[in-house]
Amino acid sequence: MQRFLIGQYGRFDYSKFQRDFRPGFYGIEACLLESGEDIQALIDEAEKHAFRVGIHFPLRAGGPSLRDALFLAQDDEVRKEAFAYAERELEAAVRVKPEYILFHYPKPVILDDRVDWRHWRFSDPSEYVYESAYDLETFLDRSERHFSWLTEKGKAYGFRPVLEFDALNRYVYDTGEVVKLLQRYPDIKLCLDTGRLFQQEKLDPYLDVSRVLRTYAPYAASIHLWTLQVLNDGSGVRHSHFPALPALDPADGWAPIEAYLQIIAEVNPDVNILFEHRSDWISDEELEACYHWIHRLMGGKPSE
């Protein structure tokens, strides 16, 4: 279980830390901490328990109303402000000594016009644009700038840049161009989110999650692990961010976590696993079963 992390979002929750964290876990991923006291608690506990810290951008709450930096925005001024905003947050995050900083990519999300996205959650219309209004050449040019900038800042501030896929379109899963970018900028790694991938596959007939995992898991540093129950057309979602438990049957609409992790373990057994779930929805015994099941699926020995 040395590759496992838990999340701390909004505040440093000591009760969650005491219940969910285990000796030997890799670390904690923090996001949108509301106060300096929460940030200091993260620093103190990391030093005390010798775990690593990751940041799900941004570390601090209270910034712009849209938390993600729109690095690929169509408007020049919006892109300029996105880089400036990210730079300010990187400067503030240095004191935490993060192992990595994770950003959503691409932002804005580029949506396949062929798919009905009514049931995909966005907090603001500026977060997405349709493929028909955003050509591949522009996407690649701006992605290149984004990758280059993150590589430079990662070296300057001492962190690993990690990009978490949001919704995927053909530019990502059909062209091979993002793989080329990852090969040109090897300091940048990916995060794959099991819940997002599953939900998109249920509403998007063109997405093959198994293919995405085989293509991109070799470049992943982390997996955001959680499950949910989705109706066949993707329109109904139940129990979002539910813990992955072996008793949750894909035949009942749950994400096929075992199948996903079998692929990931095959191509990248050393990837980190962040439990991005609502552990308060299950018992202590179920939480322990979740940890042991995922540990086994990722090739861990029972004694570890």
Side-chain angles (χ1 to χ4, degrees):
M1 300 185 186
Q2 295 177 350
R3 312 302 298 180
F4 287 179
L5 299 91
I6 69 166
Q8 291 280 21
Y9 302 101
R11 63 191 179 93
F12 192 92
D13 184 339
Y14 275 98
S15 62
K16 178 178 175 65
F17 176 62
Q18 292 164 2
R19 180 174 186 255
D20 293 9
F21 198 80
R22 300 286 186 274
F25 270 23
Y26 187 86
I28 286 178
E29 184 176 290
C31 179
L32 291 171
L33 297 184
E34 295 174 355
S35 71
E37 289 77 12
D38 289 306
I39 294 174
Q40 189 59 50
L42 177 65
I43 294 170
D44 292 345
E45 295 302 327
E47 292 178 352
K48 180 179 178 181
H49 296 279
F51 62 74
R52 297 172 179 86
V53 173
I55 294 173
H56 189 305
F57 183 87
L59 173 65
R60 305 181 299 177
S65 57
L66 187 65
R67 78 173 193 179
D68 287 318
L70 300 179
F71 292 111
L72 274 64
Q74 293 172 300
D75 183 274
D76 292 344
E77 287 302 314
V78 174
R79 284 201 315 280
K80 181 178 178 181
E81 176 51 34
F83 285 100
Y85 164 45
E87 181 91 44
R88 293 192 299 270
E89 290 300 317
L90 294 181
E91 291 171 354
V94 169
R95 61 187 291 242
V96 177
K97 299 178 182 178
E99 179 91 357
Y100 67 87
I101 300 179
L102 179 152
F103 302 84
H104 287 148
Y105 170 82
K107 280 288 179 165
V109 180
I110 301 173
L111 300 178
D112 189 330
D113 296 75
R114 302 171 297 174
V115 178
D116 180 356
W117 295 99
R118 285 177 297 172
H119 303 292
W120 196 261
R121 188 182 66 179
F122 292 108
S123 61
D124 188 89
S126 65
E127 283 195 280
Y128 64 89
V129 60
Y130 281 92
E131 188 180 299
S132 57
Y134 202 115
D135 62 81
L136 175 61
E137 183 179 1
T138 301
F139 169 72
L140 294 176
D141 286 345
R142 291 176 182 167
S143 291
E144 180 102 36
R145 163 84 191 279
H146 184 24
F147 277 54
S148 176
W149 187 87
L150 279 178
T151 298
E152 174 189 332
K153 298 305 175 184
K155 291 176 180 176
Y157 289 104
F159 70 91
R160 172 188 293 163
V162 176
L163 298 177
E164 179 184 359
F165 284 141
D166 203 300
L168 305 182
N169 80 323
R170 287 179 285 186
Y171 299 165
V172 176
Y173 63 73
D174 259 358
T175 68
E177 295 296 335
V178 174
V179 169
K180 293 177 184 177
L181 281 171
L182 291 165
Q183 292 170 344
R184 286 203 298 276
Y185 297 93
D187 289 346
I188 294 178
K189 300 300 180 182
L190 295 178
C191 171
L192 302 172
D193 186 296
T194 59
R196 287 177 186 267
L197 288 169
F198 175 62
Q199 187 175 359
Q200 182 176 345
E201 188 173 48
K202 295 296 282 187
L203 64 86
D204 180 352
Y206 307 102
L207 182 74
D208 180 346
V209 171
S210 296
R211 181 184 170 201
V212 169
L213 292 176
R214 291 193 179 280
T215 300
Y216 285 110
Y219 304 96
S222 66
I223 304 298
H224 278 183
L225 184 71
W226 55 283
T227 190
L228 71 164
Q229 194 174 33
V230 182
L231 300 181
N232 288 334
D233 62 357
S235 62
V237 174
R238 301 189 180 106
H239 315 299
S240 182
H241 288 271
F242 202 84
L245 299 173
L248 301 178
D249 192 341
D252 295 325
W254 295 95
I257 296 299
E258 182 168 1
Y260 289 173
L261 292 187
Q262 284 175 341
I263 295 172
I264 293 166
E266 177 185 334
V267 300
N268 188 355
D270 296 324
V271 70
N272 290 334
I273 303 288
L274 169 71
F275 292 93
E276 197 179 48
H277 60 208
R278 288 286 304 272
S279 62
D280 56 311
W281 286 345
I282 59 175
S283 68
D284 291 345
E285 292 76 18
E286 288 172 318
L287 180 61
E288 198 65 25
C290 169
Y291 289 160
H292 283 283
W293 185 51
I294 301 306
H295 178 66
R296 179 177 60 79
L297 290 176
M298 292 303 297
K301 298 177 182 178
S303 59
E304 292 178 327

